[in-house]
């Protein structure tokens, strides 16, 4: 098997390098099975291309030449690693939504069942981020994410004899930031296929495992909370490599809330995301929680985390709407550049501030072409100030939510030259946001109306998905306009860096003009644009009806 496949399997089992002799026989049997072979993955990918070519959708530009290129490379090698299959999904077209469950307009969120990974959707993630202190008051931040992708639409996976779990590609993202040393330790991204037998999902007790890494409910009734999070990895961008580990026990002190509109964030004609959060997870009393860096165990005594569960169809790659008129409408405007900035903020009153004790906010700001001059910058000087509108939620002491809006200004930038595994994910040397100022439109306490965010460390708070895409994720300190600390949180950003060559390499393709072009949008022809405009004119009533029914826009 591909050395990177073996490395991920090893690290999922908490071994830095693959050692066949140390793997239990029942696990080894699954790893070395025909279902997990690169020949089987190549066969499935050819089957996926066959399906896409047989389900070309109206008002969607054809990708015949691109699919022919992918097919030729796959047939020539007669082998495809699970990670190569996964990365190659980024090259597929809007018709790639065929066979996946659409996002509904009237979702039901039934707990605790809904906390389980939604394996029939195209993509989903369980996401925990937060800030902690030890008994000396030293500050650390932690990120843990399980990111799962259904490689084939479930009906096609079943045709190949795969269960929903076997059809998954599951990533582990793990990071610890230590501002005392000025370093973030980010584990090499582990990418493991469900056919290895290393992915486990159980409802009672709640269990979600990737090898030895786990999200485990501690109750006997199937609830996610209280929960124990355990994970280990290696930052291979440090010299020497640094082993990190977390063991956290948390309880959900405020409960859940639905993001967007009734959990739709958004839901438009079968596309979008379903999304809910828990804004304040506190350390479980009576249980030991710790982080470990280079063998040094640090007991945690204070702090909290944030939990997101989100799943989507038609997000990666961008999918086609269900109705022809919506697909036609998409041809009449330029597609958005993709990417976003997201924040979770956990406020607390202090001696300098009188107000509600524990309230939270979350925001997102989608990238737009209006700010193109700030994205993908690698020059010698940082971009200037960037101000964008944002929308989100305010969560009060009773866990009641209010929609809020405002503006976010990036006030500082840092050029990121780090990577958790430079041999696989070369540093991008891209300018990333490194300081923010927020102004809120709604009437809130004065100290919640305007504030700043400062990252825990100046640089290095970036990571990579197994596909090769880079993102930033790191702890921040919240301060009021007087400079008083009023809380802590996390800041996230995607699609700030161009990593085309890294994605092409992750897909197992040679890097050249043809393969780089696989990531560029297929622009509709002039004739298709004309036909799309005429069709939208004829079907105006249906278009208005679909948009009126959409939620969370």
């Amino acid at each position: 098997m591909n050395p990177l496949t073996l490395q991920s399997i090893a690290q999922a089992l908490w071994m830095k390098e693959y050692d066949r002799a140390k793997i239990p026989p029942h696990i080894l049997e699954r790893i070395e099975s025909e279902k997990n072979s690169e020949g089987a993955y190549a066969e499935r990918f050819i089957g996926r291309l066959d399906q896409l070519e047989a389900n070309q959708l109206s008002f969607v530009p054809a990708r015949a030449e691109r699919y022919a290129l992918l097919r030729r490379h796959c047939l020539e090698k007669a082998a495809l690693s699970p990670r190569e299959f996964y990365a190659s999904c980024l090259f597929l077209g809007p018709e790639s939504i065929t066979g996946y469950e659409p996002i509904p307009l009237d979702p039901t969120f039934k707990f605790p069942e809904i906390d389980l990974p939604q394996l029939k959707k195209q993509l989903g993630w369980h996401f925990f981020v937060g800030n902690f202190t030890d008994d000396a008051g030293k500050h650390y931040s932690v990120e843990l994410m399980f990111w799962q992708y259904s490689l084939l639409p479930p009906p096609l996976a079943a045709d190949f004899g795969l269960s929903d779990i076997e059809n998954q590609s599951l990533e582990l993202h793990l990071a610890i930031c230590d501002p005392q040393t000025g370093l973030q330790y980010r584990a090499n991204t582990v990418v493991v296929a469900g056919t290895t037998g290393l992915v486990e999902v159980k409802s009672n007790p709640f269990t979600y495992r990737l090898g030895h890494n786990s999200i485990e409910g501690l109750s006997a009734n199937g609830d996610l909370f209280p929960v124990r999070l355990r994970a280990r990895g290696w930052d291979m961008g440090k010299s020497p490599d640094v082993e990190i580990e977390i063991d956290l026990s948390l309880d959900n002190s405020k409960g859940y809330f639905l993001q967007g509109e009734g959990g739709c964030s958004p839901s438009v004609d079968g596309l979008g995301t379903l999304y809910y959060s828990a804004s304040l997870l506190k350390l479980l009393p009576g249980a030991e929680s710790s982080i470990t860096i280079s063998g040094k165990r640090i007991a945690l005594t204070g702090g909290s985390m944030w939990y997101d569960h989100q799943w989507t169809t038609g997000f990666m790659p961008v999918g086609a709407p269900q109705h022809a008129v919506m697909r036609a409408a998409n041809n009449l405007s330029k597609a958005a550049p993709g990417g976003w900035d997201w924040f979770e903020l956990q406020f607390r009153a202090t001696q300098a501030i009188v107000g509600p004790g524990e309230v939270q906010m979350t925001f997102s700001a989608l990238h737009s072409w209006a700010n193109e001059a700030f994205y993908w910058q690698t020059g010698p000087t940082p971009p200037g100030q960037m101000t964008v509108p944002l929308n989100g939620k305010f969560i009060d002491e009773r866990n009641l939510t209010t929609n809020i809006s405002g503006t976010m200004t990036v006030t500082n930038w840092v050029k990121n030259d780090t990577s958790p595994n430079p041999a696989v994910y070369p540093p991008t040397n891209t300018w990333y946001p490194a300081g923010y100022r927020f102004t809120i439109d709604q009437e809130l306490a004065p100290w919640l109306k305007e504030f700043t965010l400062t990252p825990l460390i100046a640089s290095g708070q970036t990571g990579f998905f197994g596909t090769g895409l880079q993102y930033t994720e790191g702890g921040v300190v919240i301060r009021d306009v007087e400079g008083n600390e009023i809380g802590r949180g996390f800041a996230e950003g995607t699609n700030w860096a161009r990593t085309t060559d890294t994605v092409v390499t992750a897909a197992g393709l040679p890097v050249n003009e043809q393969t780089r072009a696989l990531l560029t949008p297929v622009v509709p022809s002039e004739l298709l644009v004309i036909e799309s405009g005429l069709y939208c004119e004829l079907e105006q009533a249906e278009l208005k009806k679909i948009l009126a029914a959409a939620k969370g826009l």
Side-chain angles (χ1 to χ4, degrees):
M1 285 186 283
N2 185 301
L4 294 180
T5 302
L6 297 177
Q7 183 184 70
S8 275
I9 289 172
Q11 294 186 357
L13 293 170
W14 292 4
M15 301 183 292
K16 186 181 175 187
E17 303 296 341
Y18 190 82
D19 186 343
R20 187 178 184 276
K22 293 182 179 179
I23 298 178
H26 70 283
I27 296 178
L28 192 63
E29 183 179 0
R30 294 285 299 275
I31 291 171
E32 297 182 350
S33 70
E34 174 59 25
K35 273 188 177 180
N36 195 49
S37 70
E38 295 189 354
Y41 273 92
E43 181 184 356
R44 290 174 202 139
F45 190 69
I46 295 297
R48 180 71 164 126
L49 294 177
D50 290 343
Q51 181 200 47
L52 296 175
E53 291 172 334
N55 287 277
Q56 179 63 32
L57 299 173
S58 61
F59 298 107
V60 170
R63 280 171 164 72
E65 291 184 6
R66 297 190 178 196
Y67 291 164
L69 174 65
L70 293 172
R71 183 187 298 274
R72 184 170 67 251
H73 278 288
C74 193
L75 289 173
E76 286 174 354
K77 293 198 307 180
L80 201 66
S81 75
R83 180 171 176 264
E84 289 170 344
F85 188 124
Y86 170 43
S88 296
C89 291
L90 295 182
F91 306 142
L92 306 182
E95 61 276 4
S96 61
I97 51 91
T98 301
Y100 290 105
E101 289 186 349
I103 297 300
L105 290 169
D106 54 349
T108 299
F109 294 85
K110 184 180 179 182
F111 295 94
E113 294 89 341
I114 203 69
D115 276 316
L116 292 166
Q118 304 301 299
L119 302 178
K120 291 187 182 297
K121 296 298 190 293
Q122 194 171 22
L123 168 66
W125 53 94
H126 288 67
F127 174 79
F128 299 84
V129 289
N131 294 269
F132 296 102
T133 54
D134 63 10
D135 57 6
K138 293 180 180 178
H139 184 179
Y140 304 89
S141 73
V142 174
E143 172 198 352
L144 174 68
M145 179 168 65
F146 280 20
W147 174 277
Q148 48 91 198
Y149 194 95
S150 299
L151 294 174
L152 295 171
L156 183 58
D159 288 345
F160 279 105
L162 300 176
S163 68
D164 287 339
I165 290 179
E166 289 174 326
N167 189 36
Q168 301 302 309
S169 177
L170 184 57
E171 294 191 35
L172 170 72
H173 294 250
L174 173 66
I176 299 173
C177 184
D178 180 0
Q180 286 74 225
T181 62
L183 294 173
Q184 185 189 64
Y185 302 96
R186 179 170 287 278
N188 173 48
T189 307
V190 167
V191 185
V192 170
T195 47
T196 61
L198 296 179
V199 179
E200 181 184 9
V201 176
K202 291 197 306 185
S203 60
N204 193 5
F206 181 100
T207 305
Y208 193 12
R209 293 186 190 276
L210 174 55
H212 294 328
N213 307 283
S214 60
I215 302 170
E216 294 181 283
L218 299 177
S219 70
N221 59 5
D223 286 344
L224 171 59
F225 296 103
V227 67
R228 185 182 186 188
L229 309 177
R230 299 189 68 198
R232 183 186 295 179
W234 285 263
D235 186 333
M236 303 174 72
K238 304 289 190 293
S239 183
D241 298 346
V242 175
E243 182 178 331
I244 59 174
E245 184 175 351
I246 65 168
D247 187 350
L248 308 174
S249 293
L250 306 156
D251 207 357
N252 185 0
S253 65
K254 290 186 74 169
Y256 299 100
F257 71 92
L258 300 181
Q259 295 274 13
E261 183 180 351
C264 297
S265 186
S267 177
V268 186
D269 201 24
L271 304 179
T273 71
L274 299 183
Y275 182 15
Y276 65 90
S277 304
S279 66
L280 192 64
L281 311 182
K282 291 191 174 182
L283 293 173
L284 185 65
E288 293 186 357
S289 290
S290 65
I291 59 175
T292 303
I293 304 172
S294 291
K296 180 184 177 183
R297 182 181 180 276
I298 301 163
L300 303 176
T301 57
S304 56
M305 294 195 95
W306 178 284
Y307 165 63
D308 275 350
H309 184 199
Q310 193 164 2
W311 59 99
T312 172
T313 291
F315 170 63
M316 202 178 94
V318 175
Q322 292 179 309
H323 290 82
V325 67
M326 283 292 291
R327 298 195 294 270
N330 283 346
N331 291 327
L332 304 181
S333 60
K334 187 178 182 180
W340 64 82
D341 295 285
W342 173 89
F343 307 88
E344 66 87 358
L345 308 176
Q346 297 176 323
F347 294 88
R348 64 177 184 276
T350 66
Q351 290 182 345
I353 297 293
V354 177
E358 289 184 319
V359 297
Q360 297 81 38
M361 294 183 189
T362 181
F363 294 107
S364 64
L366 299 181
H367 289 188
S368 72
W369 291 115
N371 294 305
E372 183 179 6
F374 298 95
Y375 311 142
W376 315 305
Q377 298 302 305
T378 58
T381 57
Q385 287 195 354
M386 182 188 81
T387 299
V388 298
L390 47 77
N391 294 281
K393 300 277 188 183
F394 173 71
I395 305 100
D396 71 11
E397 308 97 305
R398 299 163 296 170
N399 203 39
L400 299 178
T401 61
T402 304
N403 291 330
I404 53 177
S405 58
T407 57
M408 178 270 287
T409 300
V410 178
T411 55
N412 293 296
W413 302 82
V414 63
K415 181 174 277 194
N416 191 277
D417 59 0
T418 64
S419 168
N421 188 345
V424 178
Y425 309 108
T428 63
N429 297 302
T430 298
W431 289 103
Y432 274 89
Y436 311 84
R437 183 174 67 249
F438 288 80
T439 302
I440 308 305
D441 296 333
Q442 283 68 30
E443 289 303 317
L444 298 172
W447 56 288
L448 299 172
K449 288 275 292 179
E450 188 172 352
F451 49 86
T452 65
L453 304 184
T454 305
L456 290 188
I457 60 172
S459 65
Q461 296 199 94
T462 56
F464 287 84
F465 288 94
T467 56
L469 300 174
Q470 189 179 35
Y471 71 106
T472 182
E473 192 81 54
V476 294
V477 177
I478 316 168
R479 292 185 172 88
D480 67 10
V481 292
E482 303 297 328
N484 302 303
E485 181 180 330
I486 55 174
R488 292 174 180 173
F490 252 73
E492 171 184 284
T494 68
N495 200 25
W496 283 98
R498 294 194 188 277
T499 58
T500 301
D501 289 2
T502 306
V503 173
V504 170
T505 301
L509 299 174
V511 178
N512 54 45
E513 289 187 13
Q514 271 190 316
T515 55
R516 287 181 177 128
L518 290 169
L519 282 174
T520 60
V522 176
V523 178
S525 67
E526 186 175 337
L527 177 59
L528 184 56
V529 171
I530 293 172
E531 291 174 342
S532 298
L534 291 173
Y535 190 74
C536 288
E537 286 290 329
L538 290 171
E539 302 293 338
Q540 279 191 49
E542 184 180 34
L543 181 59
K544 289 180 180 178
K545 181 180 178 181
I546 294 168
L547 292 175
K551 290 186 177 180
L553 285 176

